[in-house]
Amino acid sequence: MPNAIRVRFAPAPTGYMHIGNAHTALFNWLFARSQGGSMVLRVEDTDELRSTDEALGVIYEGLRWLGVDWDEGPDIGGPYGPYVQSERLDIYQAYVQRLIDARQAYECFCTPEELEEQRELMRARGIPPKYDGRCRDLSQEDKQRLRAEGREPCIRLRVKETGKTIINDIIQGQVVYDNALIGDPVIVKTSGYPTYHLAVVVDDHLMQITHVIRAVEHLPNTQIHLQLQEALDIKPPQYAHLPLILGEDRTKLSKRHGAVAVTDYAEQGFLPEAMFNFLALLGWSPGSEEEILSRQEILDRFSLEACSSSPSVFDVEKATWMNGEYITNADAQHVADLVLPLLQEEGLIEQDLTPQRRQWLVKVVDLMKSRVKLLSTFSSWARYFFTDDFEYENRARRQWLNDSQTPAKLETLADRLEALSEWSADTIETTVRGLAEQMDIKAAEVIHPCRAAVTGTTIGPSLFHLMELLEQSDVVARLRRAAQLSAAGELAPTDQEDTPSGPAT
RNA sequence: GCCCCCAUCGUCUAGUGGACCAGGACACCGGAUUCUCAGUCCGGCAGCCGGGGUUCGAAUCCCCGUGGGGGUACCA
């Protein structure tokens, strides 16, 4: 049974959902779920020019992928709807009227150009630029005249000119702002749309939000929100401002840092569990030395008080490592499900799998998953399981395939393997080692060229187990093909660089 | 410019006046594993931004500096 704790994730649907948004959503969710509270999803589309339905879709998609769910929202409704701000215009209107009636808000007829001029002037005079309040006390005649000029007003909140505004933030501690430093903020645009400040304060109040957990870039706005609440006689919620997530250059993570959208990471083959775990550890620590933590373990230990107030850099390298840990420890069946569509997309496996074929795929995955860090690399690293059409890597050519001894070894091995009546890792191993012994060379001298011939690469899982999963006839054919190409001198190293498909950058 | 915030290895972090010549993880480097490594195991490198206080004692508290970040919109 949910208690009175209510939090909200309130994205603006103006672009993609980036890591920072996901982080904020996640921390709201962690707080709500760990406290037995409710999570509200509210769409802040008051930027009527940039908001799109498409962006909203991406937000839903990102949240669902991460496993962050909500109890009330535009898609499922709830007792405090509507949950989309553009559908709440009349609600804001009522509050604005109250403010105007109480002379706490007023019409401002200044044009953007005039405002810019004001700011320039103040900057030039070395004083902090802010709205100078020139429309604060316009008479009815003034307003009529300005309207007659064709001007449409916006509405500003009359803020205090003296004193301090004190914010007691759960994460940031006490922060004090000087009231004299801010000008009267716009609360309703000329278009009639509310600005963020008005909408957020009204909605958090009406939706009975108890804890506002948002990024620290909103901390300076909080002084406006506190003043708005006072003017409206609204009890403020508790605030918790989360530190920012930075790019490698230590500036706020943004598009120019490369992959920053949650969907980018999903596409690269991040497991949602891994991203969830990694994001939870950005700005919060369980206080123990374990880092791989399940959802439940994180939930059990989470608290807002334990959140750090200093920003953190999003380290893709470490996130990738963590993802590898999750893939390694995941059930092979599960990983097979995730990897299957990628293989199908590449045309490496059929669209409809027989149960036997699926079982085979699970075995391949089981063999490979401990060395894969991103799902997206699976299809290239495991390519040779699915097709004969693979490249011989340069390292394989240089070290083994270009050797004059190799064709004979491969031919002999092919003959012997072809003769095997039972095809298993054991029988293959016995054959390979037997050949080495007979030739009086180390087993490695057979194993390596064999791997190169069968997989085109010098690295991979246990050769015998890998071969077991291939068709016997196929292996024999690959050995003979490589032997012939090698003998013909066609497997000399090329001047092309090997391009190991490491973590995508 | 002004306001606010932040400051422990390159990165994520533990640390809340004595248990810290600072612990873990990623990355990096080295060794092992002789069936390879991009896997695994073992080991190593590397940090309290600087300066002043307070205190018997400071990574921890205070001040100043420096550095970084955020804000300063009819964006959110």
Side-chain angles (χ1 to χ4, degrees):
Chain A
M1 196 59 194
N3 59 20
I5 288 181
R6 293 173 58 80
V7 301
R8 84 300 196 278
F9 174 58
T14 51
Y16 54 105
M17 166 128 175
H18 67 84
I19 293 296
N21 296 137
H23 182 254
T24 302
L26 175 62
F27 276 55
N28 271 284
W29 186 89
L30 284 173
F31 180 67
R33 295 292 176 250
S34 66
Q35 298 293 311
S38 302
M39 169 93 169
V40 175
L41 177 64
R42 184 175 73 221
V43 177
E44 306 213 323
D45 58 347
T46 55
D47 185 344
E48 71 271 40
L49 299 176
R50 293 194 299 146
S51 297
T52 65
D53 286 345
E54 194 194 344
L56 181 55
V58 172
I59 288 164
Y60 285 139
E61 193 188 329
L63 291 174
R64 288 196 185 111
W65 180 73
L66 252 193
V68 167
D69 61 352
W70 50 96
D71 306 302
E72 297 167 31
D75 55 334
I76 49 177
Y80 302 95
Y83 293 91
V84 178
Q85 291 185 327
S86 59
E87 295 169 17
R88 300 171 63 80
L89 266 21
D90 51 331
I91 297 174
Y92 309 125
Q93 179 53 42
Y95 281 86
V96 170
Q97 199 51 55
R98 260 170 66 185
L99 289 168
I100 291 175
D101 292 346
R103 293 189 52 78
Q104 302 266 24
Y106 60 89
E107 290 177 321
C108 168
F109 291 84
C110 297
T111 63
E113 296 73 34
E114 287 168 340
L115 294 168
E116 185 49 40
E117 225 170 276
Q118 278 181 45
R119 284 192 287 265
E120 277 311 313
L121 216 68
M122 292 185 192
R123 262 191 284 267
R125 281 164 46 199
I127 53 177
K130 63 169 193 178
Y131 175 67
D132 66 4
R134 66 177 60 175
C135 298
R136 274 189 157 194
D137 300 300
L138 256 25
S139 66
Q140 283 309 322
E141 296 76 55
D142 290 334
K143 291 184 194 170
Q144 265 168 27
R145 195 194 69 237
L146 289 160
R147 270 184 216 281
E149 286 178 25
R151 295 182 183 228
E152 289 296 325
C154 67
I155 296 171
R156 288 181 186 271
L157 176 74
R158 191 185 299 268
V159 294
K160 296 173 186 165
E161 291 168 277
T162 58
K164 313 272 189 200
T165 295
I166 299 170
I167 301 165
N168 284 304
D169 190 277
I170 297 173
I171 296 171
Q172 304 292 331
Q174 186 174 86
V175 183
V176 181
Y177 286 101
D178 188 339
N179 292 339
L181 263 19
I182 55 165
D184 295 339
V186 173
I187 55 173
V188 180
K189 306 176 196 178
T190 308
S191 65
Y193 260 64
T195 61
Y196 169 67
H197 304 302
L198 205 228
V200 82
V201 163
V202 169
D203 287 348
D204 284 340
H205 167 63
L206 258 20
M207 295 181 184
Q208 303 203 16
I209 300 303
T210 57
H211 298 258
V212 170
I213 304 168
R214 76 227 308 188
V216 75
E217 56 197 337
H218 287 301
L219 186 58
N221 292 331
T222 310
Q223 59 183 322
I224 295 171
H225 303 164
L226 254 16
Q227 290 206 39
L228 244 179
Q229 284 151 355
E230 195 179 324
L232 253 13
D233 196 25
I234 284 173
K235 180 172 176 270
Q238 296 239 70
Y239 287 101
H241 285 92
L242 259 13
L244 252 26
I245 294 179
L246 277 22
E248 269 174 271
D249 61 354
R250 297 207 142 267
T251 62
K252 187 164 76 167
L253 200 63
S254 71
K255 214 162 198 165
R256 69 200 159 74
H257 290 100
V260 292
V262 213
T263 46
D264 291 342
Y265 289 92
E267 266 170 43
Q268 277 181 34
F270 271 82
L271 262 34
E273 300 86 340
M275 185 55 72
F276 183 103
N277 191 163
F278 184 74
L279 250 23
L281 260 28
L282 244 36
W284 173 78
S285 161
S288 68
E289 287 183 346
E290 304 115 90
E291 301 202 278
I292 305 288
L293 300 165
S294 69
R295 249 162 235 261
Q296 194 54 49
E297 288 170 317
I298 292 171
L299 235 24
D300 289 344
R301 302 176 202 199
F302 185 81
S303 81
L304 278 182
E305 287 74 16
C307 289
S308 162
S309 56
S310 54
S312 50
V313 173
F314 185 80
D315 184 1
V316 186
E317 201 104 46
K318 185 162 182 177
T320 305
W321 162 79
M322 190 170 277
N323 197 52
E325 292 296 298
Y326 271 86
I327 293 176
T328 301
N329 297 321
D331 183 62
Q333 306 263 358
H334 177 54
V335 179
D337 288 338
L338 296 172
V339 123
L340 180 60
L342 303 175
L343 292 167
Q344 287 168 331
E345 205 175 306
E346 300 252 343
L348 290 173
I349 201 164
E350 52 282 13
Q351 291 297 320
D352 291 307
L353 297 196
T354 61
Q356 292 84 346
R357 181 70 161 155
R358 206 197 108 86
Q359 220 171 3
W360 170 82
L361 175 64
V362 170
K363 285 183 186 163
V364 171
V365 166
D366 208 31
L367 211 49
M368 295 297 286
K369 72 187 170 84
S370 69
R371 47 213 344 122
V372 170
K373 289 194 163 61
L374 294 172
L375 257 23
S376 57
T377 57
F378 184 87
S379 46
S380 55
W381 286 17
R383 185 178 177 87
Y384 52 81
F385 282 105
F386 306 94
T387 174
D388 295 332
D389 178 25
F390 55 81
E391 295 291 315
Y392 297 98
E393 279 178 9
N394 240 342
R395 206 180 316 140
R397 291 166 181 256
R398 204 181 310 116
Q399 290 179 346
W400 304 106
L401 296 172
N402 200 37
D403 191 306
S404 60
Q405 312 284 308
T406 295
K409 281 186 206 167
L410 295 181
E411 288 288 2
T412 316
L413 186 59
D415 293 342
R416 302 217 177 162
L417 289 174
E418 190 170 35
L420 280 179
S421 56
E422 186 202 334
W423 187 248
S424 73
D426 274 351
T427 58
I428 296 166
E429 177 159 12
T430 308
T431 308
V432 169
R433 291 192 188 278
L435 176 63
E437 206 171 314
Q438 209 175 320
M439 292 178 72
D440 199 25
I441 55 176
K442 286 195 259 178
E445 302 278 319
V446 179
I447 289 169
H448 294 310
C450 177
R451 178 191 296 281
V454 175
T455 72
T457 177
T458 57
I459 62 176
S462 156
L463 178 69
F464 312 123
H465 292 89
L466 155 188
M467 286 168 76
E468 182 186 49
L469 293 180
L470 292 168
E471 289 294 331
Q472 181 173 12
S473 58
D474 212 8
V475 168
V476 170
R478 286 185 192 184
L479 289 170
R480 291 198 173 127
R481 178 179 69 176
Q484 282 159 24
L485 288 169
S486 176
E490 283 175 37
L491 293 181
T494 67
D495 39 319
Q496 258 183 336
E497 217 29 62
D498 281 344
T499 48
S501 26
T505 47

